[in-house]
Amino acid sequence: MTTEKIPVILDCDPGHDDAIMLMLAFGSGRFDVKAVTTSAGNQTQEKTLRNALNILSLIGANVPVHRGCDKPMFRDLIIADHVHGATGLDGPEFPPEPALNPHPVPAVQAIADILTNSPEKITIVPTGPLTNIAVFLLAYPHLKSKIERISLMGGGISRGNITPAAEFNIFVDPEAAAVVFESGIPITMCGLDVTHKALVFEEDIQRFRNMGNQTGKVTAALMDFFSIYYRQERPELNGGAALHDPCALACLIHPEIFHGKNCFVRIETQGRYTTGSTDVDFFNALKQPPNAHVIYDIDREAFLKLLYNSLKTLP
Ligand code: BDR
Ligand code: CA
């Protein structure tokens, strides 16, 4: 385990599990968060931006929040209101106005400015569609070398959740995902193989509710709402709800609680049935050099302990 704070930019589309990812980022004390940028995905850009501001205001995090692209590179936006509700963060009540305001500089430019001015390399953690990151890479290719790693939630080795083959974040903007996976930047991919094991059950939710702070109560309300979908639509998970997005952050500070393999991954952009899938060459059939560390297993208890201890430090 490293002890130095890891400099990160968090690119997210809150989203219940994105919200918990943000709480983990600040509560763990292990990240130097340079900025939060918002992607359109679980809801429209306007709503994910507002949700990020609400969560950061709740936990008292004073960090620049930049509005990202409004839609995927070449496609219409698909949202996940069937999971995250009409606001994108249904469940808890938030004050009428967040305490934080968005920063006037747009996300893609902000990422470029931060990397340009940083003496050290920065890790980017995307937990929504990859539009902002791909547009950034296309616009500022010379800044690639300032990125330490991209640790993302998306894809899967063996299954999808929005189509049989595709996971939501990659499916929303497959062309953006292709740009990222072809970039040559080291990638950690937390796909559905691992995130469907990062489960939270009713008894876990009660522990967050009784944690003794406002963050715990809001977290429980978020998980209550999020669980409705999982209990109805994912009976295979036995009542558990998948905390996808915090995995992409947790694996940076506690790699020992995850298992993965370096693989060559390519993105299907033109499939008849499989557009948006991650084609993971797990057994190296193509004899290509790996471009991603594909995580597929997790110590769930250790992960929940990390979340609990981190969120407990927040207001
Ligand atoms: C991903 O899709 C979104 O709904 C979640 O926030 C997560 O990032 C899971 O497929
Ligand atoms: Ca997300």
Side-chain angles (χ1 to χ4, degrees):
M1 186 178 116
T2 56
T3 48
E4 269 177 35
K5 283 196 178 191
I6 302 173
V8 286
I9 295 172
L10 308 174
D11 184 65
C12 56
D13 62 337
H16 294 67
D17 50 334
D18 302 81
I20 294 165
M21 180 279 295
L22 290 172
M23 293 172 181
L24 173 63
F26 289 92
S28 67
R30 299 292 314 284
F31 295 97
D32 173 11
V33 182
K34 302 292 185 190
V36 172
T37 56
T38 52
S39 48
N42 283 326
Q43 260 296 351
T44 60
Q45 176 59 238
E46 202 179 333
K47 291 184 183 178
T48 59
L49 176 64
R50 188 180 178 85
N51 293 341
L53 295 168
N54 273 332
I55 291 294
L56 295 168
S57 301
L58 168 81
I59 63 175
N62 197 358
V63 66
V65 182
H66 302 268
R67 181 183 176 123
C69 303
D70 280 355
K71 63 179 285 295
M73 291 174 75
F74 303 113
R75 298 172 190 251
D76 292 336
L77 178 65
I78 297 161
I79 59 169
D81 53 349
H82 57 294
V83 184
H84 300 273
T87 64
L89 211 50
D90 279 13
E93 291 225 348
F94 293 99
E97 287 304 322
L100 281 179
N101 288 313
H103 193 285
V105 172
V108 171
Q109 194 189 323
I111 296 171
D113 292 347
I114 292 165
L115 292 182
T116 302
N117 297 324
S118 174
E120 55 191 349
K121 288 189 177 192
I122 291 182
T123 297
I124 299 185
V125 183
T127 60
L130 290 160
T131 318
N132 294 333
I133 309 306
V135 173
F136 161 75
L137 290 174
L138 293 175
Y140 301 93
H142 62 287
L143 289 175
K144 248 192 240 182
S145 59
K146 300 295 286 284
I147 301 174
E148 174 74 24
R149 171 168 292 276
I150 296 178
S151 181
L152 61 89
M153 190 282 135
I157 301 169
S158 55
R159 58 178 80 91
N161 60 359
I162 188 80
T163 71
E167 180 279 328
F168 178 78
N169 289 340
I170 307 294
F171 183 75
V172 172
D173 199 342
E175 285 76 17
V179 169
V180 170
F181 277 82
E182 289 167 18
S183 68
I185 298 164
I187 292 174
T188 299
M189 174 180 136
C190 290
L192 296 175
D193 313 277
V194 60
T195 66
H196 276 172
K197 295 174 187 163
L199 296 174
V200 66
F201 295 89
E202 182 55 40
E203 58 270 26
D204 306 312
I205 300 176
Q206 285 305 340
R207 289 191 65 221
F208 283 97
R209 202 183 321 278
N210 298 330
M211 200 151 76
N213 56 3
Q214 190 58 18
T215 300
K217 289 194 176 62
V218 170
T219 300
L222 287 169
M223 290 175 175
D224 283 342
F225 184 87
F226 197 48
S227 296
I228 298 171
Y229 172 82
Y230 279 91
R231 288 187 192 134
Q232 283 172 2
E233 303 294 330
R234 299 276 184 274
E236 301 81 6
L237 301 180
N238 301 315
L243 292 181
H244 307 277
D245 294 338
C247 292
L249 207 55
C251 65
L252 294 171
I253 48 172
H254 282 288
E256 75 283 359
I257 69 173
F258 293 87
H259 284 289
K261 184 177 180 183
N262 293 332
C263 301
F264 175 63
V265 180
R266 54 189 178 182
I267 307 296
E268 177 61 273
T269 56
Q270 296 172 47
R272 183 171 174 198
Y273 301 121
T274 54
T275 297
S277 61
T278 43
D279 189 32
V280 178
D281 189 7
F282 196 78
F283 295 120
N284 198 18
L286 298 172
K287 307 286 179 234
Q288 291 290 320
N291 60 349
H293 184 62
V294 177
I295 296 188
Y296 55 83
D297 208 357
I298 185 172
D299 176 343
R300 188 190 85 91
E301 294 293 335
F303 171 70
L304 281 184
K305 193 169 156 198
L306 169 67
L307 276 184
Y308 184 87
N309 290 339
S310 299
L311 271 53
K312 204 172 160 52
T313 67
L314 295 169

